[in-house]
Amino acid sequence: MLYIASPYSHEDAVVRRKRYNEVVGVTAKLTLDGWKVYSPIVHSHPLVEYAASMPTHDIKRLKDKDHNFWLIYDKTIMRLCDRLVIVLSSGWETSKGLKQEVSYFKGLHRLMAVVSPDIVTLNTFAELHWRHNIMLPVEREV
């Protein structure tokens, strides 16, 4: 199963929505190509938006959960996944969550690949270059 890592957090809701839409496209494309896929953003973004819309319901507390809450939740899924796909949406270079996900998968010695969010326009993901120890572009410059 593939785990999709992508940036999400941002103070601007428009930026969060754009990042969500990009990872939905990648997740949909991989699913259509026959992969079993889990994206924490595709899963949790609608939950948080739903919670925010609830005027007085207990579920409203979901919108206030911090990064650590979601990381603990996501690590349960990460352990079940054998590969990581890193989506290079805007903000990936500074994404705390994405860096933690990559580090976690490196520690598990799992295969990883990097994709651009516009890769959904291609016919197939067959050309993904899987590696055990991936270097993100920003790491190469250091």
Side-chain angles (χ1 to χ4, degrees), residues 1 11 23 27 41 55 62 64 74-75 88-89 94-95 97 115 119 126:
M1 180 163 60
E11 60 277 358
V23 75
T27 302
I41 304 308
L62 256 183
D64 298 321
D74 294 337
K75 279 186 176 180
L88 300 181
S89 294
T94 57
S95 173
V115 299
I119 200 166

Side-chain angles (χ1 to χ4, degrees), residues 25-86:
V26 172
T27 302
K29 178 65 172 152
L30 286 165
T31 300
L32 286 171
D33 282 353
W35 294 94
K36 305 302 180 242
V37 181
Y38 175 78
S39 165
I41 304 308
V42 172
H43 175 79
S44 60
H45 174 83
L47 292 174
V48 171
E49 285 203 339
Y50 174 77
S53 73
M54 298 300 290
T56 58
H57 196 276
D58 188 46
I59 202 162
K60 189 172 183 73
R61 292 181 301 129
L62 256 183
K63 78 172 187 64
D64 298 321
K65 295 299 181 186
D66 67 4
H67 170 76
N68 289 327
F69 170 84
W70 293 108
L71 183 62
I72 291 166
Y73 182 92
D74 294 337
K75 279 186 176 180
T76 303
I77 306 298
M78 285 190 264
R79 284 191 291 272
L80 301 173
C81 296
D82 57 344
R83 296 177 188 223
L84 173 70
V85 174
I86 303 159

Side-chain angles (χ1 to χ4, degrees), residues 67-131:
H67 170 76
N68 289 327
F69 170 84
W70 293 108
L71 183 62
I72 291 166
Y73 182 92
D74 294 337
K75 279 186 176 180
T76 303
I77 306 298
M78 285 190 264
R79 284 191 291 272
L80 301 173
C81 296
D82 57 344
R83 296 177 188 223
L84 173 70
V85 174
I86 303 159
V87 181
L88 300 181
S89 294
S90 67
W92 68 268
E93 306 95 329
T94 57
S95 173
K96 175 182 170 183
L98 190 143
K99 288 176 185 174
Q100 288 177 322
E101 290 162 330
V102 170
S103 177
Y104 190 80
F105 271 85
K106 282 183 179 181
L108 295 173
H109 305 288
R110 303 282 167 81
L111 291 171
M112 295 178 268
V114 175
V115 299
S116 170
D118 62 0
I119 200 166
V120 298
T121 60
L122 299 178
N123 290 330
T124 182
F125 276 90
E127 297 301 315
L128 286 177
H129 300 285
W130 297 105
R131 307 267 190 278

